[in-house]
Amino acid sequence: MKKILILNGPNLNLLGSREPTQYGHETLADVEANCQRVAQKWDCQTQAFQSNIEGELINAIHQAGVEFKNGSLAGIVFNPGAYTHTSIALHDAIKGVDVPVIEVHISNVHARESFRHHSYISPVAAGTIVGMGTKGYELAIQFLLD
Ligand code: DQA
């Protein structure tokens, strides 16, 4: 059975209580459970990982590269949080593995501060979903599995 990695970066562990007008009321556990429910429709599993540490996210991407190569992984749904706007290391990690990555942002980053308008992830992502709330994760799974 194939698997999708649901990867979340810094501060996304605070979903539910963090700036609910931007990010809504669902917790990360709610989001991860919804992802699992959607993936099951395609007989697929999800594996969820969140970290506030850039290097741990890089390691997770490298591991995903190994699993994609051996056929057990279909892709990564990745919300890199604020590292989106800063991390050349995450850009390089994605570039270094041959895994489809769908970049997801809960809020519409383009309608927010200008420092959120640039993404180091978008040029190496297979696609980007922005501003569709936590539904964006489900849409990304759908895209990877359809
Ligand atoms: C975010 C947008 C980022 O700018 C922000 O730093 C986050 C969350 C989003 O999901 O809308 O942490 O990635």
Side-chain angles (χ1 to χ4, degrees):
M1 187 190 275
K2 280 222 185 196
K3 177 176 92 174
I4 287 187
L5 176 63
I6 311 297
L7 189 58
N8 278 287
N11 300 308
L12 290 157
N13 53 310
L14 299 179
L15 278 184
S17 60
R18 172 193 184 200
E19 300 180 72
T21 50
Q22 285 300 348
Y23 303 116
H25 293 279
E26 277 186 314
T27 65
L28 184 58
D30 294 332
V31 171
E32 291 170 352
N34 285 340
C35 287
Q36 175 66 16
R37 186 178 43 76
V38 171
Q40 266 166 3
K41 291 186 194 160
W42 280 270
D43 278 330
C44 187
Q45 280 184 335
T46 52
Q47 180 189 336
F49 181 67
Q50 186 276 332
S51 179
N52 296 319
I53 300 165
E54 194 175 16
E56 289 188 352
L57 297 166
I58 292 167
N59 287 344
I61 291 166
H62 291 175
Q63 177 58 26
V66 173
E67 292 175 12
F68 186 76
K69 246 189 201 151
N70 74 25
S72 62
L73 188 91
I76 306 176
V77 174
F78 188 22
N79 185 343
Y83 287 145
T84 305
H85 319 297
T86 63
S87 182
I88 298 169
L90 282 169
H91 170 108
D92 285 349
I94 294 168
K95 215 174 183 176
V97 296
D98 185 26
V99 183
V101 172
I102 309 300
E103 176 187 1
V104 171
H105 298 288
I106 298 167
S107 65
N108 180 358
V109 285
H110 302 293
R112 299 180 64 189
E113 303 96 323
S114 58
F115 61 79
R116 294 184 205 276
H117 296 177
H118 178 262
S119 169
Y120 281 102
I121 308 305
S122 298
V124 287
T128 303
I129 297 174
V130 167
M132 298 202 175
T134 52
K135 268 262 174 280
Y137 291 86
E138 298 174 30
L139 295 169
I141 292 171
Q142 221 166 297
F143 174 82
L144 284 171
L145 296 179
D146 237 359

